[in-house]
Amino acid sequence: MNDERTVGDGTRAVRAGLPDPVKYEPTLPGPVFAAHFHLPGEPTGPYTYGRDENPTWTHLERAISELEAPGESVETVTFASGMAAISAVLFSQLKAGEAVVLPDDGYQALPLLRERLEAYGVEVRTAPTGGDAQLEALAGARLLWIETPSNPGLDVCDVRRLVREARAAGALVAVDNTLATPLGQRPLELGADFSVASDTKGMTGHGDILLGHVTSGDPRLAADVRRWRKVVGAIPGPMEAWLAHRSLATLQLRVDRQCATALELAKALEGRDEVSGLRHPGLPGDPSYPIASLQMRRFGSVVSFVLPDRARAERFLDELRLVDDATSFGGVRSTAERRGRWGGDAVPEGFIRFSVGAEDPEDLIADVLRALDVSAR
């Protein structure tokens, strides 16, 4: 194949992680279900016990590494969920007496992690994503945790700047890249120590797998994360890993369609009087656009906006015909929800997080505009 650093994203996604061809063998071997492996003599081989390693994970981890950092030597560790991946970085790198800087506008489960970290004697500082505000809390920290674009507010921070300042302060940097995926943003190329994602979302894209991963270019840091997975047993099932690898083949097709439609939808919502607080990093007038355009290759499939109140938002969601009222994002079927129903995000009652799927753009936008019209009556 051509130099893996120069081939297109679609080619890379289709071929990523595949083993060398063997006559009469499948191109992507089926899932390996095994708790133990034949192990005579000294345990020097790659596969010894099912909690440590699995051939199906190996193929998937190589595939994700190729997407995260084409042509570079990096390691990926897969997990049973995005939260398992996030926890692995935090708890493998932090100990009592150290400090971590988290976003205060990130994924709503971060406060649950904060409780655990503080219970273990870790100091937790928080600041907003926008305006690179986390820099103000960086002095003396061991780890800076970035989520950009943030979920659900879609603020963006300057990863290169934060990495530069973190390096000067002696801190590691982890980037939650769930919303962007490696096709939208490559945190390791921007200087981060860890790229982390919930692959439940856009990476697998079908809303039927729970999975997460951590990728690092530092073998020592990757070993720390891998060891944590072994200790806590937060391992992916072989079937989930195989399905995830299969799903990666359509990543570029899905992401390109979703990102293009998300931008069209955002533009269609710009002229609506009842819509306020419209956010999408790809809109030229969005506050995140200047930085996003410098560090993102695609702007993501999520659009957020605010309707006048809770009742209007709920009527709007009820009227949608091509959109599921469901949480999560990045799937081939569009979803939307009134995010305030969970109670964990500082958003208005009428705040809508809209995840654009792979439907025909004209059909989806027509459905949204119709639902807005009907919900106003």
Side-chain angles (χ1 to χ4, degrees), residues 23-24 40 43 63 69 78 103 203 225 236 241 254-255 263 310 325 348 357 369:
K23 191 174 184 178
Y24 305 127
T78 51
M203 281 286 276
V225 171
R254 291 185 279 107
V255 168
L263 183 56
R310 173 176 177 169
D325 190 339
L369 297 181

Side-chain angles (χ1 to χ4, degrees), residues 28 60 204 206 208-209 241-251:
L28 176 61
L60 175 61
T204 58
H206 293 272
D208 53 9
I209 303 170
W242 184 85
L243 287 170
H245 197 166
R246 178 210 58 177
S247 298
L248 290 182
T250 61
L251 180 61

